[in-house]
Amino acid sequence: MKRIVALVAVLLSFTAFAYVLPGGSILRRMVTERDELKLSGLRAEGSLSFHGPAVKEAGSALGAATDRPDVQGDGVLYLRMPGRCRFEASVPEGNARSAVVQVAGRRRLEGNEIASLSVLVAQVCPLFAAGGGPVQQLKESVQQYLQGLGVDTTRTGLARFSGEVAYVLGEQGENRPQFWVYKDSFRPARLRYTDAAKVAWDVRFLDYNSPAVGEAMPRTIEVWRGDQRAVRFTALKGDTRATVPEKLFTP
């Protein structure tokens, strides 16, 4: 009898652990948590480092030497809700700047393009600068965006990422489009997809609740191209109640 009770307990605990919320519920919780922050503008300044395939591209765009394993510089991220994002990059020894601006899904460049920064802005904007509408509308907007990248939001699972358990939306498999959400906080964790040029990208959102940007943004954002890290941005100073001028997003 004791063995039967023990077996039932194990089966019940396994069932509880194995249950995963549907994709729609996960996204609803994520946008609800975001909406409750009541953000209107954000500014984050920090360190920027380019690696591997991005070194030559970044050096050329920013006027830095490219005969080294990485390029170190400074980055500033601006968000203005809804749907406005800007990222500026520079290096101390460089003679040029590069900026990526995205407004309502449309992107423009100031200076020469650095592909990994364009990817960073393209994925940060729909996930962190949404707002100005009902939660259901925001959830549907994010869901449609993810589906446009090939993520099957009806399929969900669990995995570990950055030391935490995360929900995984999308088909299982190393090279499948997926969106990861931290299970305990419902914050974006990771986005994996392949673009129209067949380049595989992996955008990672790490270390929330930092003194710099609090719950509003991850302290660190990494963009991986294939199996190599291309860029890493770490916020060192921020203002989550910043008044971000509209002129930053207009030509």
Side-chain angles (χ1 to χ4, degrees):
M1 184 64 181
K2 290 182 179 179
R3 299 174 88 180
I4 294 175
V5 171
L7 178 59
V8 170
V10 169
L11 290 174
L12 288 174
S13 64
F14 177 78
T15 301
F17 179 79
Y19 176 72
V20 181
L21 289 173
S25 298
I26 295 168
L27 294 178
R28 174 180 281 276
R29 286 289 303 273
M30 185 189 79
V31 299
T32 297
E33 293 287 334
R34 189 82 189 156
D35 186 62
E36 289 177 351
L37 295 175
K38 304 301 180 186
L39 297 172
S40 60
L42 178 147
R43 183 178 192 272
E45 303 175 47
S47 63
L48 193 61
S49 57
F50 297 94
H51 307 267
V55 168
K56 185 175 181 180
E57 193 175 42
S60 176
L62 302 174
T66 59
D67 55 345
R68 52 191 182 185
D70 57 32
V71 170
Q72 303 290 326
D74 302 301
V76 185
L77 173 66
Y78 298 92
L79 303 183
R80 180 179 171 124
M81 291 61 170
R84 298 169 178 82
C85 305
R86 178 186 178 93
F87 194 97
E88 300 174 354
S90 61
V91 293
E93 75 276 21
N95 54 18
R97 282 175 171 256
S98 178
V100 185
V101 180
Q102 184 162 311
V103 177
R106 296 184 177 181
R107 188 175 75 246
R108 68 176 176 84
L109 303 171
E110 296 177 8
N112 294 325
E113 182 176 20
I114 304 171
S116 53
L117 286 188
S118 292
V119 168
L120 185 151
V121 172
Q123 306 315 329
V124 163
C125 219
L127 297 177
F128 295 95
V135 166
Q136 179 63 20
Q137 180 181 324
L138 296 175
K139 172 254 180 183
E140 290 175 356
S141 176
V142 171
Q143 184 167 287
Q144 291 172 7
Y145 179 74
L146 294 173
Q147 291 172 349
L149 294 178
V151 178
D152 184 349
T153 58
T154 66
R155 304 185 66 171
T156 58
L158 291 173
R160 293 195 69 86
F161 180 67
S162 188
E164 298 185 47
V165 178
Y167 291 114
V168 181
L169 282 70
E171 295 183 30
Q172 298 296 310
E174 188 63 25
N175 298 312
R176 307 303 300 172
Q178 297 171 344
F179 179 54
W180 298 39
V181 178
Y182 291 113
K183 184 174 182 292
D184 290 339
S185 63
F186 287 93
R187 294 173 184 142
R190 188 180 192 187
L191 178 56
R192 306 171 70 185
Y193 69 101
T194 299
D195 66 18
K198 306 301 181 184
V199 177
W201 297 99
D202 183 352
V203 185
R204 305 178 181 187
F205 307 108
L206 308 165
D207 188 17
Y208 288 85
N209 292 320
S210 73
V213 284
E215 299 177 294
M217 286 289 296
R219 180 173 180 265
T220 297
I221 304 172
E222 293 184 348
V223 177
W224 290 61
R225 180 171 181 166
D227 60 357
Q228 289 186 292
R229 186 171 64 195
V231 66
R232 177 185 177 100
F233 172 66
T234 299
L236 302 176
K237 182 172 66 174
D239 182 356
T240 59
R241 293 292 182 265
T243 301
V244 180
E246 182 67 28
K247 65 182 181 180
L248 288 174
F249 309 100
T250 55

